[in-house]
């Protein structure tokens, strides 16, 4: 078969060269978070990992990620042993910085392998489109901003997610795909949001007979349950022996945090918060009561602070109920028609529901939606229409993570170039749908993308010039509300596409 260029490997090499140039760039507190975790897992006994609190950045990821940090620390001691001292807070020698930056690039090879597997699992005339989608994920501005500047290890973990999606594409890989996803849950618990789609798909295709849903394949159920329990046993077993599971759970699920993150993630609650801010101004004219103590909270996105001045308060139970409701809706179709495209669509919609309605959602969680959606965005032009506003809003919403002047041209130029390049390529490669496209939705997308450029210019450049350090939260509020409109619009569009395909 003739190879299509550029290949994933070629793009990975060029991307790596560019990422190395970013080693001296801005790094967030997440850099110190992971340095501290390297120190904890290297210097302390296993039983103390989830109790150590010398630093405020305590270990709050599941055990497999802690084991991962422990493995990295064995190499890290060769670069600079001082980084592995628990009491060496805020330590960032150039050896430490370069080592941690390099580990992000090295572990991203998992993503490269998963994307190559995704390409090889696809056949026919869609090969070029599949490769374009894979390259768009590899070169994602989201991964560049979050992992290679801000600092995290999302590339490796999304590689594991994509690998599990590829494995379950064929009947022979269903069991392995389930095991890989279980291992991913033991690395980062945010992927629990996608678990309902995996549960329904594996139940329908592996545990129940394809001839009748009333015939249970008990041997398959036993193999799947035994394997998953074994994986969770490897992760949590050593801590269960010491009766530390409650302590780990308190670290993984800190519900004392507020509804919104410090910067409002672009979801339903960002719009809710924005409306509340507007109502503070107009409430006296409308005769609405205003809570004075809530008005004094400037952002109402600080940890533990969820007060609204005019609108009713939102509780974790409300968030859970809404998230569950909008996850169950696509899962019904998946149960009835359990094919791979419907499964990836359900994974995407589970990501949407958790991001839009979840409690204390981080803006970085938008990748839970963008990356799985990217794999099916080129199925036809209707899918692409729903993907476009997500691609714009999701990536633009990450800009406030990098607030330093030196990184402004990097994040802006790279993201705009990526959007122009891939949205044009996608537009050429996406096949026509056999169903009517949404005229109004297409026009909404064009208008939405057009507004993004002046908004970025104002929030990043003009606002500081006009107001100085006054109204610092205003650009964040505008950016979050704008991005939320795009994400919500994309979600509604994809829900329609999903149920009419």
């Amino acid at each position: 078969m003739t190879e299509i260029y550029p290949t994933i490997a070629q793009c990975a090499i060029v991307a790596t060269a560019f990422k190395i140039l970013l080693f001296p760039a801005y790094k967030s507190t997440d850099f110190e978070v992971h340095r501290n975790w390297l120190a904890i897992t290297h210097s302390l006994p296993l039983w103390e990992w989830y109790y150590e609190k010398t630093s405020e950045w305590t270990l709050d990821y599941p055990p497999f990620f802690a084991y991962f940090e422990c493995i990295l620390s064995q190499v890290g001691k060769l670069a600079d042993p001082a980084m592995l001292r628990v009491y060496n807070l805020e330590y960032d020698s150039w050896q430490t910085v370069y080592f941690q930056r390099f580990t992000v690039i090295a572990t991203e090879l998992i993503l490269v392998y998963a994307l190559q597997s995704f390409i090889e699992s696809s056949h026919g005339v869609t090969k070029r489109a599949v490769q374009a989608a894979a390259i768009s994920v590899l070169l994602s501005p989201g991964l560049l901003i979050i992992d290679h500047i801000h600092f995290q290890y999302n590339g490796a973990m999304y590689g594991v997610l994509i690998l599990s999606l590829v494995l379950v594409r064929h009947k022979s890989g269903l069991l392995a795909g389930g095991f890989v996803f279980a291992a991913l849950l033991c690395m980062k618990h945010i992927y629990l949001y996608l678990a309902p789609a995996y549960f329904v798909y594996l139940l329908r295709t592996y545990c129940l007979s394809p001839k009748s849903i009333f015939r249970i394949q008990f041997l398959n159920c036993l193999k799947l349950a035994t394997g998953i329990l074994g994986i969770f046993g490897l992760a949590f077993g050593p801590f269960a022996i010491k009766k530390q599971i409650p302590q780990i759970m308190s670290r993984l699920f800190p519900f004392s945090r507020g509804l919104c993150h410090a910067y409002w993630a672009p979801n339903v609650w960002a719009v809710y918060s924005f409306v509340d801010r507007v109502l503070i101004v107009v409430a006296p004219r409308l005769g609405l009561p205003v809570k004075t103590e809530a008005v004094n909270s400037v952002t109402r996105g600080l940890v533990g602070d969820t007060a609204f001045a005019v609108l009713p308060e939102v509780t974790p139970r409300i968030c859970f109920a809404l998230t569950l409701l909008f996850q169950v809706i696509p899962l019904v179709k998946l149960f009835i028609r359990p094919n791979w495209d419907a499964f990836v669509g359900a994974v995407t919609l589970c990501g949407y529901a958790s991001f839009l309605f979840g409690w204390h959602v981080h803006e970085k969680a938008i990748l839970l939606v963008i990356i799985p959606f990217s794999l099916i965005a080129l199925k036809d032009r209707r899918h692409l229409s729903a993907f476009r506003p997500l691609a714009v809003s999701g990536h633009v919403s990450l800009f406030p993570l990098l607030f330093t002047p030196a990184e402004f041209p990097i994040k802006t130029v790279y993201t705009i170039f990526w959007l122009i390049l891939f949205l044009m390529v996608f537009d050429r490669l996406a096949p026509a749908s056999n169903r009517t496209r949404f005229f109004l939705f297409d026009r909404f997308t064009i208008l939405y993308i057009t507004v993004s450029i002046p908004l970025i210019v104002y929030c990043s450049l003009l606002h500081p010039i006009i107001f100085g350090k006054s109204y610092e939260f205003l650009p964040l509020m505008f950016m979050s509300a704008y991005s939320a409109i795009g994400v919500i619009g994309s979600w509604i569009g994809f829900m329609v596409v999903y149920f009419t395909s």
Side-chain angles (χ1 to χ4, degrees):
M1 182 182 293
T2 304
E3 195 164 21
I4 301 172
Y5 295 96
T7 65
I8 283 289
Q10 290 169 338
C11 291
I13 292 170
V14 174
T16 297
F18 177 64
K19 291 165 185 174
I20 289 174
L21 296 176
L22 297 175
F23 277 13
Y26 161 82
K27 58 187 185 298
S28 73
T29 53
D30 279 341
F31 179 87
E32 170 61 15
V33 168
H34 289 280
R35 187 216 59 80
N36 186 52
W37 293 358
L38 286 172
I40 289 173
T41 56
H42 181 82
S43 306
L44 300 177
L46 186 74
W47 327 118
E48 296 180 24
W49 288 1
Y50 287 95
Y51 285 92
E52 165 57 37
K53 54 182 180 180
T54 301
S55 167
E56 63 179 307
W57 312 118
T58 53
L59 181 58
D60 58 4
Y61 273 26
F64 273 180
F65 196 88
Y67 301 156
F68 167 74
E69 293 276 12
C70 184
I71 293 170
L72 292 182
S73 72
Q74 303 307 311
V75 183
K77 66 183 179 183
L78 302 177
D80 186 353
M83 78 170 82
L84 303 176
R85 296 169 188 159
V86 174
Y87 292 93
N88 216 354
L89 303 182
E90 306 297 335
Y91 184 77
D92 62 348
S93 67
W94 72 264
Q95 293 96 330
T96 302
V97 172
Y98 278 48
F99 169 74
Q100 289 193 242
R101 294 284 196 196
F102 176 77
T103 60
V104 175
I105 294 177
T107 55
E108 207 170 52
L109 287 173
I110 300 171
L111 177 64
V112 175
Y113 173 76
L115 291 172
Q116 185 60 42
S117 300
F118 170 61
I119 294 170
E120 292 173 357
S121 70
S122 307
H123 304 285
V125 294
T126 62
K127 197 77 173 181
R128 186 177 296 275
V130 168
Q131 184 146 329
I135 292 173
S136 76
V137 173
L138 179 66
L139 303 181
S140 165
L143 292 177
L144 183 82
I145 290 171
I146 297 173
D147 283 8
H148 300 281
I149 302 179
H150 187 270
F151 195 85
Q152 279 191 356
Y153 290 92
N154 290 285
M157 287 183 283
Y158 278 104
V160 176
L161 174 65
I162 292 172
L163 185 60
S164 72
L165 293 173
V166 171
L167 286 170
V168 301
R169 193 168 196 171
H170 304 290
K171 189 174 182 179
S172 59
L174 287 171
L175 186 63
F179 291 168
V180 170
F181 183 71
L184 179 62
L185 293 179
C186 294
M187 286 196 73
K188 192 170 184 178
H189 49 301
I190 193 172
Y191 296 100
L192 275 170
Y193 287 131
L194 310 182
Y198 275 85
F199 174 79
V200 170
Y201 188 65
L202 291 174
L203 172 68
R204 188 68 176 83
T205 58
Y206 191 74
C207 296
L208 301 180
S209 171
K211 296 180 180 179
S212 172
I213 62 172
F214 300 106
R215 290 176 58 187
I216 301 174
Q217 302 187 94
F218 288 103
L219 181 59
N220 285 357
C221 292
L222 181 62
K223 288 190 288 186
L224 182 62
T226 303
I228 291 175
L229 288 174
I231 290 168
F232 275 82
L234 285 173
F236 293 92
F239 302 96
I241 293 172
K242 292 286 186 176
K243 299 181 180 180
Q244 294 184 355
I245 300 301
Q247 173 64 16
I248 294 177
M249 292 299 108
S250 69
R251 287 283 182 89
L252 300 185
F253 304 102
F255 285 106
S256 60
R257 294 176 179 176
L259 172 66
C260 298
H261 195 230
Y263 157 59
W264 299 342
N267 59 12
V268 166
W269 308 125
V271 176
Y272 192 83
S273 300
F274 181 81
V275 172
D276 187 67
R277 292 299 296 177
V278 174
L279 287 176
I280 291 174
V281 178
V282 301
R285 300 175 187 175
L286 299 176
L288 298 174
V290 178
K291 301 173 188 174
T292 307
E293 66 278 10
V295 175
N296 295 332
S297 175
V298 179
T299 69
R300 289 199 298 288
L302 299 175
V303 174
D305 180 12
T306 59
F308 291 99
V310 181
L311 295 176
E313 298 297 338
V314 178
T315 65
R317 288 185 178 181
I318 292 174
C319 292
F320 177 77
L322 289 172
T323 300
L324 184 62
L325 171 64
F326 288 108
Q327 285 191 340
V328 167
I329 293 172
L331 294 180
V332 172
K333 178 184 176 180
L334 179 61
F335 186 83
I336 297 171
R337 300 182 61 184
N339 58 72
W340 189 78
D341 284 340
F343 168 58
V344 178
V347 168
T348 302
L349 287 170
C350 282
Y352 266 118
S354 60
F355 183 82
L356 289 173
F357 301 101
W359 178 268
H360 195 75
V361 174
H362 288 241
E363 62 281 351
K364 298 183 283 289
I366 192 61
L367 294 183
L368 278 175
V369 186
I370 294 176
I371 289 181
F373 200 167
S374 298
L375 305 184
I376 56 172
L378 292 176
K379 183 180 178 182
D380 59 40
R381 301 192 72 82
R382 295 170 85 238
H383 283 72
L384 179 58
S385 292
F387 179 75
R388 280 196 199 102
L390 172 69
V392 176
S393 59
H395 290 119
V396 169
S397 72
L398 298 173
F399 280 12
L401 289 174
L402 307 180
F403 50 84
T404 50
E407 279 66 43
F408 174 76
I410 298 173
K411 69 181 182 183
T412 307
V413 173
Y414 186 90
T415 301
I416 292 175
F417 178 77
W418 184 94
L419 287 169
I420 293 173
L421 174 63
F422 283 102
L423 291 183
M424 288 179 63
V425 170
F426 284 9
D427 193 61
R428 294 182 60 183
L429 294 177
S433 173
N434 55 7
R435 291 181 177 270
T436 306
R437 290 169 65 188
F438 311 112
F439 176 81
L440 290 178
F441 190 74
D442 286 344
R443 293 302 175 268
F444 160 76
T445 300
I446 294 171
L447 177 63
Y448 185 81
I449 294 174
T450 303
V451 171
S452 66
I453 296 177
L455 181 71
I456 293 170
V457 171
Y458 171 77
C459 292
S460 302
L461 297 177
L462 297 182
H463 182 86
I465 295 173
I466 298 171
F467 295 103
K469 293 187 177 181
S470 301
Y471 307 107
E472 285 184 315
F473 192 70
L474 200 59
L476 297 178
M477 185 171 66
F478 285 154
M479 190 76 76
S480 182
Y482 164 81
S483 299
I485 292 170
V487 176
I488 294 169
S490 172
W491 170 63
I492 294 171
F494 186 52
M495 282 283 275
V496 174
V497 170
Y498 185 75
F499 282 99
T500 58
S501 296

